[in-house]
Amino acid sequence: MAQLLRAACRPEDTVARLGGDEFGILLENVDGAQDATASAQTILAAFEEPLRVAGRDVPANASIGIAFGRYGDTAGQVLRDADAAKHAAKRDGKGKFRLFEANMHAEVVAQLKLKADLAAAIARQELRLLYQPIVNLEDGTLRGFEALVRWQHSLKGWQNPATFIPFAEESGLINDIGRWVLWEAARRCRDWVGVLSPAPGEFKVTVNLSARQLDDADIVTEVERVINEMGFDPSFLVLEITETAMMNAAPDRLDELRSLGVPLAIDDFGTGYSSLASLHKLSIDVLKIDQVFVKGIEEDDASPFVGTMVGLGQALGLQTIVEGIETKEQLERLRQLGCEIGQGYYFAKPLTESQAAQLVQRQASGKVVFDLIAMADGYRDRRLRSVP
Ligand code: C2E
Ligand code: CA
Ligand code: CA
């Protein structure tokens, strides 16, 4: 990293490591913002190629904050401003830079507050899991649930994962949240498996794992503890991992998890950058086709992708689940394309635990859970469509 930064800077600039993965660069004799942003652009361009470390390509990226020292500023003040700008750049996305603005300190304070709130959320029992039904598209039977986390903030009310999961990942809090999610979902899975006594593969509760959780070797022992404690067949608990997180996971981590008997699902399939060759090598059991491929599927030109992905799943012996089914037309088209299992607002939004338990009871007593014929005629169970 030092070599890369030195090469991207001018000879008169000073490059220093501030600690951890933080570096500071002192630019001297700059003429204004333009010179400084040009330097930032040069540095970011250097990250476009992966780093070569011990014979391996390691993708890396940087976020840059730029602050100008004024007469009388201490080094500490300038660094603090640059740090606030860097946090703003980081929130903008990978590989971005920002110039310091006075309101940025307020944002940093707000972030620290959010972090403290989120860290306390578990102890305060503010996290909840919702469960979105996974449905057999042929006959409307229940095939399981995806567990989706929500945060009931004391002041702000229900928070969707999009507002706090990225932050939880960045700050490392995702490990605590993820552990809570895993245990909570596993307990519900145990209850429902007890009610349904399903055959392996017929029912599953799926749990999302983030990249950061996979980085931590302890995840394997944690999942093992859950499985031992719950005592159900591990095939009922499925771990969903995005394509990108799978590609970046430590080589043995996925195999270790899978060797516990827990199936792995590749989430948001088709939106990451896995090549078909690497897909073949990954140890996975379930393919979840991302909702972007369902949008517009009623029009024929969108369906080659879904059809091909379903065929791919079949060829690799994977179960395929389509996400984001919202309309009757989409469902019909997907069935024509050979999709057997799916989830989406057409059937139900993510439900509370007690609503989910009711569906399980309905299935256990032999009733149809989703009456596809009545639904095609316009029948809607309102209770399944308006949840926090
Ligand atoms: P995801 O894993 O792709 O989850 C599916 C998202 O699509 C959910 O949003 C779900 O409510 C939404 N969805 C389901 N059916 C439909 C539909 O028919 N139409 C549309 N437009 N959307 C639909 P949600 O619950 O807001 O979750 C967003 C993301 O947050 C998830 O995406 C997942 O990446 C992440 N997430 C949720 N819970 C957890 C968790 O416990 N741990 C981790 N690490 N990530 C989580
Ligand atoms: Ca998911
Ligand atoms: Ca998904």
Side-chain angles (χ1 to χ4, degrees):
M1 196 63 72
Q3 281 166 5
L4 181 149
L5 290 175
R6 290 275 291 272
C9 290
R10 305 167 305 174
E12 65 264 42
D13 302 332
T14 309
V15 179
R17 177 162 173 236
L18 303 178
D21 57 357
E22 288 194 323
F23 294 84
I25 299 169
L26 180 65
L27 302 175
E28 291 185 73
N29 302 323
V30 287
D31 225 1
Q34 244 171 359
D35 278 2
T37 57
S39 284
Q41 273 156 344
T42 311
I43 293 166
L44 290 175
F47 281 95
E48 276 164 20
E49 295 289 314
L51 297 178
R52 196 87 191 143
V53 181
R56 271 187 71 182
D57 280 345
V58 180
N61 59 67
S63 307
I64 301 179
I66 303 171
F68 292 91
R70 283 145 308 186
Y71 186 75
D73 277 353
T74 63
Q77 281 166 331
V78 181
L79 275 175
R80 202 190 52 181
D81 291 353
D83 197 50
K86 185 197 70 187
H87 279 287
K90 213 168 170 181
R91 278 199 299 282
D92 290 347
K94 290 174 178 170
K96 298 282 168 61
F97 69 86
R98 286 282 289 270
L99 291 165
F100 173 72
E101 292 160 24
N103 62 4
M104 284 175 175
H105 284 306
E107 284 175 36
V108 170
V109 172
Q111 289 284 308
L112 287 174
K113 174 89 173 65
L114 179 67
K115 184 170 177 186
D117 281 357
L118 191 53
I122 302 174
R124 292 193 191 132
Q125 303 191 319
E126 291 176 349
L127 295 181
R128 294 274 178 284
L129 282 186
L130 297 182
Y131 300 90
Q132 185 174 40
I134 299 172
V135 181
N136 184 328
L137 304 184
E138 294 301 319
D139 60 12
T141 51
L142 184 67
R143 296 295 296 270
F145 295 97
E146 175 173 6
L148 295 157
V149 72
R150 296 290 182 273
W151 178 18
Q152 196 172 24
H153 191 280
S154 51
L155 299 174
K156 296 188 212 153
W158 287 101
Q159 300 290 303
N160 280 324
T163 65
F164 66 94
I165 291 285
F167 176 73
E169 284 177 359
E170 193 184 303
S171 61
L173 286 170
I174 191 67
N175 288 312
D176 294 334
I177 294 175
R179 193 175 307 118
W180 179 85
V181 167
L182 183 65
W183 280 94
E184 179 69 14
R187 279 190 280 266
R188 294 296 81 77
C189 182
R190 179 182 55 189
D191 297 346
W192 297 333
V193 164
V195 174
L196 292 168
S197 312
E202 263 182 19
F203 182 84
K204 56 173 73 64
V205 171
T206 72
V207 176
N208 293 284
L209 278 198
S210 76
R212 185 88 184 241
Q213 287 172 273
L214 276 181
D215 285 345
D216 188 352
D218 291 346
I219 185 71
V220 182
T221 26
E222 193 70 25
V223 173
E224 191 174 15
R225 281 183 52 215
V226 169
I227 294 299
N228 290 339
E229 172 109 3
M230 296 297 150
F232 56 63
D233 179 335
S235 72
F236 294 126
L237 189 70
V238 176
L239 302 177
E240 293 195 8
I241 303 165
T242 64
E243 205 179 327
T244 312
M246 280 206 179
M247 293 300 151
N248 294 328
D252 301 331
R253 192 68 34 83
L254 301 175
D255 289 327
E256 285 165 14
L257 284 169
R258 203 156 166 257
S259 67
L260 299 173
V262 184
L264 303 185
I266 189 162
D267 201 1
D268 303 344
F269 182 64
T271 63
Y273 55 81
S274 60
S275 69
L276 292 182
S278 49
L279 184 68
H280 181 62
K281 275 185 263 158
L282 283 176
S283 29
I284 48 171
D285 308 271
V286 179
L287 202 70
K288 292 196 81 171
I289 299 181
D290 192 76
Q291 33 183 293
V292 296
F293 298 101
V294 177
K295 303 254 177 289
I297 193 160
E298 309 87 308
E299 288 117 52
D300 273 339
D301 53 343
S303 46
F305 287 108
V306 174
T308 304
M309 286 190 269
V310 171
L312 188 66
Q314 273 163 359
L316 295 173
L318 308 174
Q319 193 177 64
T320 302
I321 302 178
V322 192
E323 295 188 272
I325 306 172
E326 293 183 352
T327 68
K328 173 173 87 173
E329 291 73 23
Q330 288 170 344
L331 173 62
E332 270 162 21
R333 187 80 190 104
L334 288 166
R335 286 168 63 173
Q336 285 166 6
L337 291 168
C339 302
E340 288 164 8
I341 307 178
Q343 60 189 89
Y345 294 168
Y346 181 69
F347 302 105
K349 292 203 158 172
L351 306 175
T352 62
E353 182 192 321
S354 72
Q355 287 178 306
Q358 282 169 27
L359 295 190
V360 168
Q361 287 297 344
R362 224 194 280 183
Q363 172 125 318
S365 59
K367 295 191 194 122
V368 197
V369 177
F370 294 96
D371 185 340
L372 300 183
I373 298 168
M375 286 175 68
D377 283 341
Y379 166 77
R380 285 291 173 281
D381 187 341
R382 292 188 173 277
R383 287 166 304 177
L384 305 184
R385 298 171 70 78
S386 57
V387 179

